[in-house]
Amino acid sequence: MPNEKRSYTHLSLPRGSYSSAIRNGQWLFIAGTTAGAGGDAPLDPGDLAQQAETVFQHIGGILKAEGGSYEDLVTVGVFLTDGGREAYTTVNETRARIFGDARPASTMVVVRELARPELKIEVNAIALLN
């Protein structure tokens, strides 16, 4: 099956040479998503909790557009610019509230900086849709 490039009305078109997601059959590969990805993204994306909320909602919008839900997530990669227990707890509490009972495999790493210095979190994901 060929890869199908995807874009979504709730997200800005990517500025780089990538797609917001790629669908291949039932598999959906979601590109790194930030709080700045929304079509109406504010100049100040907020603190880590606000950004995590926005990012996970963006991913939910992608899943919904593809006929899926958070339950379809297989794995999630989380990249943070702030480390430590407080950052970890903030992201996990936000994710648990938004994802509900979905518990995809997950990796969380701390990086020095994201593409835009005001961004504190970026998340990519893979889903297996029905």
Side-chain angles (χ1 to χ4, degrees):
M1 292 188 161
N3 288 335
E4 300 173 11
K5 299 174 186 108
R6 302 291 213 204
S7 59
Y8 303 94
T9 58
H10 72 287
L11 299 178
S12 304
L13 288 175
R15 293 183 191 143
S17 58
Y18 68 95
S19 299
S20 296
I22 296 290
R23 180 137 184 195
N24 190 306
Q26 292 179 286
W27 288 101
L28 181 67
F29 301 87
I30 301 171
T33 304
T34 67
D40 58 352
L43 291 177
D44 177 4
D47 64 12
L48 178 58
Q50 292 167 312
Q51 289 190 35
E53 174 93 19
T54 300
V55 168
F56 294 135
Q57 293 292 345
H58 286 337
I59 289 171
I62 291 170
L63 292 165
K64 184 176 179 181
E66 296 291 342
S69 72
Y70 295 112
E71 290 290 332
D72 296 309
L73 290 171
V74 175
T75 187
V76 174
V78 179
F79 303 87
L80 302 173
T81 60
D82 297 327
R85 183 161 305 281
E86 185 176 335
Y88 179 81
T89 300
T90 296
V91 171
N92 277 318
E93 287 176 354
T94 303
R95 179 169 53 186
R97 181 173 43 77
I98 293 173
F99 283 21
D101 291 335
R103 296 285 185 265
S106 180
T107 300
M108 188 179 299
V109 296
V110 177
V111 297
R112 186 173 58 85
E113 188 175 279
L114 296 171
R116 289 179 28 209
E118 69 274 15
L119 298 174
K120 301 176 182 311
I121 181 172
E122 184 165 344
V123 179
N124 63 11
I126 299 172
L128 181 58
L129 304 168
N130 293 322

